[in-house]
Amino acid sequence: MGLLGRLLARFRRKEPAQETEKKEEKKNFSSYMRESPKILAYFRRERGISKRELELVLVDNEDRPAYQIAQIAEYLMPDLNLFYIATGRPDAFEDLAEEAMEEYGLLLTLLTDAGGQLPGNLVLDTNEWEKHLDIMSSLRYNTMIM
């Protein structure tokens, strides 16, 4: 009983430490990049937009490298019919627009000056992406626990 009791006590002490590490772990921009199709599906369902009616606008975060935004766009392209990228650096996404048309038959339009009005019915803005998605993840995590 003494050895078994010490082992149980040892495992009980380690479990809470591991849980707090997992809770404190923050996701970074790269981890959200891979999850972008799930994020899109979540917001599309919340807004009641069918896949056929979806007109997505991805707002470029010019503080990030263009390849990261292009990677998000590549993850999203297979499920889209109409896609806009609002950016101040359209040259960085011209090859992506050609690739979208060749591989998916997707019209990817680069918007350089939206003038405050963005077309489409769903906007994913990557400027404060991590901040808002961290909030959504924690709410979702707490909801699943209850």
Side-chain angles (χ1 to χ4, degrees), residues 1-137:
M1 176 87 177
L3 178 63
L4 182 61
R6 282 185 289 199
L7 286 173
L8 287 174
R10 179 179 244 176
F11 286 118
R12 286 185 190 146
R13 275 186 262 149
K14 286 188 178 180
E15 286 179 14
Q18 290 173 351
E19 281 183 33
T20 55
E21 288 175 13
K22 288 181 184 177
K23 287 180 184 177
E24 292 175 5
E25 180 183 312
K26 256 192 159 182
K27 291 190 174 189
N28 59 17
F29 195 86
S30 299
S31 62
Y32 286 123
M33 288 170 46
R34 289 186 299 275
E35 299 294 324
S36 54
K38 292 178 186 176
I39 293 167
L40 176 63
Y42 172 81
F43 286 125
R44 187 180 53 77
R45 288 183 190 128
E46 285 293 311
R47 299 274 315 264
I49 302 170
S50 69
K51 276 187 175 183
R52 178 174 285 159
E53 297 171 349
L54 179 63
E55 296 176 8
L56 180 67
V57 179
L58 181 66
V59 179
D60 179 21
N61 180 351
E62 294 179 19
D63 295 335
R64 295 276 177 188
Y67 76 87
Q68 287 183 334
I69 307 304
Q71 185 65 48
I72 293 171
E74 286 179 10
Y75 286 134
L76 297 173
M77 284 192 293
D79 294 332
L80 299 175
N81 294 321
L82 188 55
F83 192 21
Y84 301 97
I85 296 180
T87 183
R89 50 184 179 180
D91 298 338
F93 300 102
E94 287 179 359
D95 291 338
L96 183 67
E98 290 176 21
E99 179 185 330
M101 182 56 83
E102 289 172 5
E103 289 196 26
Y104 302 105
L106 172 65
L107 177 62
L108 189 140
T109 306
L110 302 174
L111 306 170
T112 54
D113 183 24
Q117 290 286 356
L118 293 173
N121 51 14
L122 186 63
V123 177
L124 288 180
D125 189 344
T126 59
N127 287 307
E128 294 189 16
W129 167 277
E130 292 169 276
K131 180 178 165 185
H132 294 292
L133 293 179
D134 276 341
I135 292 168
M136 186 182 84
S137 329

